[in-house]
């Protein structure tokens, strides 16, 4: 165990293994001393700020535990870094299909993102539209619940309906139901070739229609993004001949929307789209809005009538990143209303502690919130795991 | 297989419960005559049957809610049911229960190709979801083999898969939202027509919860643009081990087929006698590998697959040259269960293993088969390791069913020991309920039951399923307290 000073937390607990971690959680529960769960420390500013007596780091639970390229599966300890896993996979020309977002640029944080952190926030990048979200690729978990019990669920095979799927429940739970200690993922072959087609100068509404035209085509689009006032980009991936043939067909379909350029990467890299780089290092609050693509542009337009807003659309318009001034609670009421108008919801990703404390980060849901509270009360009866972080 | 004793207090109130249900429902939505409820005594696991107290067939979420409210107040167990095609006994009633079937709720509520979703009532059949969007060039990806008859409600309850999940995933990867009635009659909506939901992923745990957390009445499903074409190739090998190694190499080669199906010698000959698909009869194992895309893309992928397969000295590589040949290649595979049923009774297992363990598991399964003196035929989704060993026996011979069940339990244990699981797509139900302890420790099971405690505190929804009776006993007694 090591100890040190951390802003907002008196002490850092850094267990060497799962058993020690479980004992520490049990001890915290007995003392009702809340813990802040930490992986690489790059995403700590997500959610409602919570008061913690100590920080519990999974950083020493590291390493790839099992990798079977022929079975498309990898199992890693929660503290393994995303970089380490991606390097291991790259040696076999495979990838984590869900393109986990690196939050460092947007949140201005340091450290190394861990796979446990990516799973805990269900970090899903541009390939979400084709290969699924982080939670879709998670096959199994081990975690320590709020009583200090070690629980396993799922496994390391692609199909598994043995009992309830707690894997999904743990994905995106931000550590509030348990501390992840190990995760198994389905991986995919790395695309041998990629092409990006892009158009410039499209209004949001038109850009979304262009992206929908691509995503409703049979040509297996792996990403579609639009920066308001900037490029509209579509990505194709796969075997070389196939990418070339599909790019040609897609180009014909998109010609109705304007001049189509093609290159390996567009004017904005997919990494920049993934990390919401256009809003990094710029003042203002950042929201992440899930929406029906066909309703997304209207929702943003409605918001723009009320306050300054910049928008980056991913997932063909199904995900909208919004940059807006922090003042007036970062526009919480307006943004949430706009999201609901697009039959979606809004998450406050970046704002000062004061704003996140005032409005919460997550979208309130009637009915579901009561069930979620019930689950937290059962999995973490002493309220020691990131308490309040997900409160809406 | 044991079921809990019926609750005498509930049985004693049967008349009153029926009167209350009759008041809440249209006349034709309540069935209590034992002659008419017989069709609901079991699902496709026909070895186990029991007459329920009554069957309700509501037509709306409001009617489902009314049934749930009454049953909750009366402390009556509710057995949710889709089309009754489940293979694990998940819809098996108890004598003190009310079956709640959603098959009459089958309307399409909304189709939106540009946002790539469809919203349907949950009683709609799987294939008719695709039927509602195929003219628009779309399809619904999960394709369980019962897709002509099975309901989306059951697909969600069991998190059903199918032959094409290697590429498209299973139900949970294609489910965006549900409207659901909780045990006390409250209606909640989880998820919606977006790719993410806020807060905890409750939808994720509802999918695959075998009707124990609520009754799903509506579902928002992801639809995908139909690929331009698909074509299979048949690969024949002189040993199952070689076929297994070829599967792993195909996957490693960077192509992702939509399906890789495996058939062993027993199945090859059974199907050949049944439908005459023209499979090579000297083969010890066959693979059907299907890829999708435009013609040039298909050619490119199949060329890659053939190059990999050639390294394993196949007896034959038969590439489809058109729709007729594609149908011929699939013909035997699709007839596999029917062909087996022609010559014997069989139990269909559903274990999953890491594909790397395939050769070893096949070998040990053959040893077990010899030891028990029961034939085991193998046909399965090799790409994802989902085995479907068919244990053949004679139901009329005393003791054979029990013997086959014991062999099944050993095979599933073998799957778990190899790093896999008990069930890949059929669900636990009552069939594998008592084997759960082979995969999960008491704390693992308790964590799952905590979820049910939240959604259904009185344990009235499908209570005697999924968890070993002993493990759930303390929780199930609470039910009586509601009455």
């Amino acid at each position: 165990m090591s100890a040190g000073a951390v802003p907002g937390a008196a002490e850092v607990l850094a267990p060497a293994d799962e058993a020690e971690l479980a004992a520490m959680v049990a001890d915290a529960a007995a003392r009702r001393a809340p813990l802040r769960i930490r992986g690489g420390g790059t995403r700590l500013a997500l959610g409602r700020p919570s008061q913690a007596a100590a920080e519990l780091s999974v950083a020493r639970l590291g390493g790839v535990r099992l990798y079977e390229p022929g079975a498309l599966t990898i199992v890693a300890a929660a503290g393994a870094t995303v970089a380490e896993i991606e390097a291991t996979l790259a040696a076999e020309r495979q990838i984590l299909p869900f393109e986990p977002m690196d939050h460092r640029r947007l949140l201005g944080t340091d450290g190394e993102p861990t796979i446990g952190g990516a799973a805990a926030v269900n970090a899903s990048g541009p390939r979400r539209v084709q290969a699924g979200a982080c939670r879709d690729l998670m096959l199994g978990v081990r975690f320590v619940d709020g009583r200090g019990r070690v629980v396993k669920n799922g496994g390391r095979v692609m199909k598994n309906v043995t009992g309830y799927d707690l894997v999904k429940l743990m994905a995106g739970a931000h550590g509030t139901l348990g501390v992840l200690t190990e995760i198994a993922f389905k991986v995919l072959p790395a695309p041998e070739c990629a092409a990006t087609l892009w158009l410039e100068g499209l209004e949001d509404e038109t850009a979304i229609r262009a992206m929908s035209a691509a995503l409703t085509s049979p040509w297996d689009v792996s990403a579609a993004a639009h920066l308001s006032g900037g490029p509209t980009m579509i990505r194709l991936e796969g075997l070389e001949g196939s990418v070339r043939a599909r790019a040609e067909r897609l180009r014909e379909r998109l010609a109705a929307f304007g001049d189509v350029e093609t290159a390996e990467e567009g004017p904005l890299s997919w990494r920049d789209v993934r990390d919401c780089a256009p809003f990094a290092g710029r003042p203002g609050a950042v929201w992440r809005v899930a929406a029906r693509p066909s309703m997304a542009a209207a929702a943003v337009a409605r918001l723009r009538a009320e306050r300054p807003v910049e928008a980056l659309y991913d997932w063909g318009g199904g995900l909208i990143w919004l940059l807006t001034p922090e003042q007036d609670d970062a526009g919480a009421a307006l943004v949430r209303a706009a999201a609901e108008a697009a039959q979606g919801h809004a998450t406050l990703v970046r704002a000062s502690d004061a704003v996140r404390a005032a409005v919460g980060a997550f979208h309130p849901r009637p009915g579901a919130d009561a069930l979620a509270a019930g689950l937290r009360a059962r999995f973490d009866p002493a309220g020691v795991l990131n308490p309040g972080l997900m409160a809406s | 297989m044991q079921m809990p004793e019926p609750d005498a207090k509930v049985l004693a109130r049967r008349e009153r419960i029926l009167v209350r249900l009759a008041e809440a429902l249209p006349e034709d939505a309540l069935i209590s005559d034992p002659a008419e409820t017989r069709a609901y005594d079991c699902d496709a696991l026909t070895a186990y049957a029991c007459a329920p107290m009554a069957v309700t067939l509501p037509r709306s979420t409001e009617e489902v809610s009314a049934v749930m409210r009454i049953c909750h107040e009366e402390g009556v167990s509710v057995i949710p049911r889709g089309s009754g095609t489940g293979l694990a006994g998940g819809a098996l009633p108890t004598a003190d229960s009310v079956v709640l079937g959603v098959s009459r709720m089958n309307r399409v509520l909304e189709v939106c190709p540009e946002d790539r979703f469809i919203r349907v009532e949950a009683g709609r059949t799987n294939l008719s979801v695709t039927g509602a969007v195929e003219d628009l060039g779309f399809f619904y990806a999960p394709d369980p083999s019962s897709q002509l008859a099975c309901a989306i409600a059951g697909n969600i309850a069991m998190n059903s898969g199918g032959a094409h999940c290697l590429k498209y995933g299973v139900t949970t990867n294609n489910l965006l939202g549900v409207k659901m009635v909780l045990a006390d009659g409250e209606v909640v909506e989880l998820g919606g027509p977006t790719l993410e939901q806020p807060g905890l992923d409750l939808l994720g745990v509802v999918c695959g919860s075998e009707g124990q957390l609520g009754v799903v009445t509506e579902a928002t499903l992801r639809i995908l643009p139909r690929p331009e074409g698909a074509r299979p190739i048949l690969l024949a090998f002189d040993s199952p081990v070689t076929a297994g190694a070829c599967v792993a190499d195909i996957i490693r080669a960077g192509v992702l087929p939509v399906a890789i199906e495996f058939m062993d010698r027993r199945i090859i000959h059974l199907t050949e006698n049944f439908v005459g698909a023209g499979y090579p009869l000297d083969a010890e194992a066959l693979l059907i590998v299907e890829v999708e895309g435009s013609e040039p893309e298909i050619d490119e992928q199949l060329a890659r697959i053939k190059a990999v397969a050639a390294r394993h000295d196949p007896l034959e590589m038969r590439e489809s040259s058109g729709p007729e040949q594609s149908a011929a290649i699939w013909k035997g595979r699709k007839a596999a269960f029917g062909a087996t049923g022609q010559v014997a009774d069989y139990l269909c297992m559903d274990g999953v293993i890491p594909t790397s363990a395939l050769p070893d598991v096949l070998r040990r399964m053959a040893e077990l088969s010899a030891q028990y003196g029961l034939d085991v035929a193998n046909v399965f989704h090799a790409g994802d390791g989902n085995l479907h060993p068919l244990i053949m026996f004679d139901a009329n011979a005393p003791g054979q069913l029990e013997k086959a069940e014991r062999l099944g339990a050993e095979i599933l244990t073998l799957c778990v020991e190899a790093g896999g699981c008990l069930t890949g797509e059929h669900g636990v139900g009552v069939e594998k309920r008592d084997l759960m302890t082979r995969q999960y420790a008491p704390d693992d099971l308790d964590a799952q039951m905590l979820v049910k405690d939240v959604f259904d505190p009185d344990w009235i929804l499908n209570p005697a399923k999924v968890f070993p009776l002993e493990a759930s006993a303390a929780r199930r007694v609470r039910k009586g307290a509601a009455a």
Side-chain angles (χ1 to χ4, degrees), chain A residues 68 92 128-129 135-136 149 152 159 161 164 186 192 217 241-242 249 288 292 294 345 365, chain B residues 110 115 166 173 195-198 201 212 222 228 252 300 304 356 386 423 425 444 446 448:
Chain A
E68 288 191 357
E92 294 286 338
R128 167 69 183 95
V129 290
R135 56 88 97 177
D136 292 301
R149 297 192 302 185
K152 70 169 185 300
K159 277 162 93 178
V161 296
Y164 293 177
K186 176 184 174 182
E192 289 178 17
S217 78
S242 162
R249 309 274 297 278
R288 193 171 190 272
R292 272 179 74 165
S294 64
H345 50 87
R365 294 181 298 176
Chain B
E110 189 179 3
D115 291 335
L166 185 55
N173 312 114
L195 289 177
E196 226 172 54
Q197 62 166 322
D201 190 352
Q212 292 198 311
R222 203 168 182 222
E228 289 174 283
R252 282 185 78 151
E300 189 180 19
R304 183 79 64 98
S356 51
N386 190 183
T423 172
E425 55 187 6
D444 302 334
D446 189 65
Q448 296 177 36

Side-chain angles (χ1 to χ4, degrees), chain A residues 1-355:
Chain A
M1 194 192 302
S2 66
V6 187
E11 177 187 20
V12 175
L13 306 172
D17 56 34
E18 184 181 71
E20 194 183 356
L21 190 150
M24 287 170 171
V25 174
D27 174 61
R31 293 184 294 113
R32 296 200 167 255
L35 299 168
R36 184 203 289 182
I37 321 301
R38 179 191 179 102
T42 67
R43 307 179 222 260
L44 288 174
L46 296 174
R48 195 191 279 267
S50 61
Q51 292 304 314
E55 203 161 73
L56 177 65
S57 166
V58 299
R60 289 173 70 201
L61 274 59
V64 171
R65 302 237 163 113
L66 180 127
Y67 177 32
E68 288 191 357
L72 299 177
T73 45
I74 193 164
V75 184
T81 64
V82 174
E84 172 189 3
I85 288 170
E86 290 187 328
T88 304
L89 294 171
E92 294 286 338
R93 286 182 295 142
Q94 295 188 335
I95 55 165
L96 285 174
F98 54 95
E99 294 186 288
M101 175 178 181
D102 180 342
H103 282 79
R104 284 177 292 188
R105 277 195 284 177
L106 185 65
L107 300 180
T109 47
D110 298 319
E112 274 296 320
T114 60
I115 198 65
V121 308
N122 186 26
S124 315
R127 210 180 278 109
R128 167 69 183 95
V129 290
Q130 183 214 35
C134 176
R135 56 88 97 177
D136 292 301
L137 282 310
M138 283 169 63
L139 302 176
V141 292
R142 293 178 65 90
F143 63 92
V144 174
D145 76 4
R147 302 170 206 230
R149 297 192 302 185
V150 175
V151 176
K152 70 169 185 300
N153 191 262
R156 62 179 172 101
V157 288
M158 277 181 222
K159 277 162 93 178
N160 188 345
V161 296
T162 319
Y164 293 177
D165 192 350
L166 303 184
V167 179
K168 303 290 181 294
L169 202 51
M170 297 304 294
H174 289 256
T176 62
L177 296 178
V179 184
L180 289 168
T181 57
E182 184 183 286
I183 307 151
F185 289 97
K186 176 184 174 182
V187 301
L188 284 178
E192 289 178 17
C193 175
T196 297
L197 286 72
W198 77 91
L199 300 100
E200 294 280 359
L202 302 188
E203 294 293 328
D204 292 0
E205 188 83 51
T206 317
I208 285 171
R209 276 194 289 115
M211 291 192 286
S212 283
L215 286 163
T216 55
S217 78
W219 303 313
D220 207 14
V221 166
S222 76
H226 165 72
L227 179 63
S228 209
T232 306
M233 311 191 301
I234 316 286
R235 183 175 65 186
L236 297 172
E237 296 175 310
L239 304 182
E240 194 185 342
S242 162
V243 168
R244 212 182 309 121
R246 283 181 286 145
E248 203 42 55
R249 309 274 297 278
L250 190 54
R251 200 182 169 85
E252 288 164 21
R253 182 176 280 210
L254 293 174
F257 296 92
D259 292 335
V260 184
E261 305 279 341
T262 310
E264 198 176 329
E265 283 258 23
L268 190 61
S269 75
W270 288 105
R271 180 175 291 262
D272 284 351
V273 173
R274 181 193 76 181
D275 298 343
C276 192
F279 301 162
R282 299 182 51 202
V286 175
W287 290 88
R288 193 171 190 272
V289 176
R292 272 179 74 165
S294 64
M295 298 173 173
V300 171
R302 186 176 129 167
L303 207 46
R304 277 196 178 118
E306 304 284 343
R307 56 188 291 128
V309 165
E310 290 184 44
L312 168 66
Y313 299 82
D314 196 359
W315 305 352
L319 173 67
I320 319 166
W321 291 97
L322 298 173
L323 177 69
T324 194
E326 281 229 355
Q327 67 211 47
D328 303 327
D329 288 343
L334 287 168
V335 174
R336 285 174 180 152
E340 285 172 14
Q343 294 186 15
H345 50 87
T347 308
L348 182 55
V349 173
R350 188 184 76 187
S352 64
D353 283 1
V355 171

Side-chain angles (χ1 to χ4, degrees), chain B residues 209-429:
Chain B
S209 62
E210 306 208 7
Q212 292 198 311
L213 301 185
V215 179
V216 172
T217 58
E218 288 180 20
T220 304
L221 306 168
R222 203 168 182 222
I223 53 173
L224 301 172
R226 186 170 283 289
E228 289 174 283
R231 209 191 308 154
I233 184 170
L234 185 76
L235 305 169
F237 296 94
D238 62 7
S239 108
V241 175
T242 313
C246 185
V247 170
D249 280 357
I250 289 171
I251 289 171
R252 282 185 78 151
V255 278
L256 191 65
V258 283
I260 306 180
E261 296 290 301
F262 178 107
M263 286 175 280
D264 71 1
R265 184 183 185 84
R266 194 85 176 85
I267 285 287
I268 297 167
H269 286 257
L270 281 170
T271 62
E272 199 54 35
N273 293 337
F274 188 48
V275 294
Y279 290 156
L281 296 177
D282 56 340
E284 289 296 327
L286 286 186
L287 297 177
I288 297 175
V289 185
E290 182 157 278
V291 297
E292 285 181 348
S294 65
E295 281 301 309
E297 284 174 68
I298 288 173
D299 289 339
E300 189 180 19
Q301 295 175 74
L302 285 183
R304 183 79 64 98
I305 288 165
K306 281 188 285 186
V308 171
R311 297 205 299 268
H312 294 275
D313 295 321
L315 299 172
E316 187 180 340
M317 294 199 272
R318 192 184 295 176
E319 185 179 341
S320 164
S321 60
E324 271 173 38
Q325 246 188 316
S326 297
I329 287 175
W330 277 107
K331 192 174 181 183
R333 168 63 185 88
K334 290 193 170 167
F337 289 13
T340 309
Q342 286 288 307
V343 299
D345 299 296
Y346 67 84
L347 289 181
C348 177
M349 300 289 105
D350 181 41
V352 187
I353 56 166
T355 47
S356 51
L358 202 49
D360 190 41
V361 169
L362 288 175
R363 186 179 51 72
R364 288 170 65 190
M365 211 156 30
E367 289 166 9
L368 284 171
S369 165
Q371 188 187 320
Y372 276 78
L374 293 174
D375 268 344
V376 177
N378 266 300
V379 48
F380 55 85
H381 314 305
D384 49 34
N386 190 183
L387 307 184
H388 290 311
L390 305 179
I391 301 171
M392 298 159 72
F393 68 101
D394 178 359
N396 293 321
Q400 280 233 337
L401 169 64
E402 291 72 21
K403 195 174 175 188
E405 285 182 333
R406 284 199 304 277
L407 173 54
E410 287 219 44
I411 289 174
L412 293 182
T413 305
L414 177 61
C415 291
V416 172
E417 284 168 1
C421 66
L422 296 172
T423 172
E425 55 187 6
H426 296 172
V428 178

Side-chain angles (χ1 to χ4, degrees), chain B residues 172-192:
Chain B
T172 190
N173 312 114
N174 294 277
L175 176 69
L176 297 174
V178 295
K179 182 182 273 188
M180 179 168 96
V181 181
L182 298 177
D184 61 0
E186 185 190 344
V187 179
V188 294
E189 293 194 40
L190 305 175

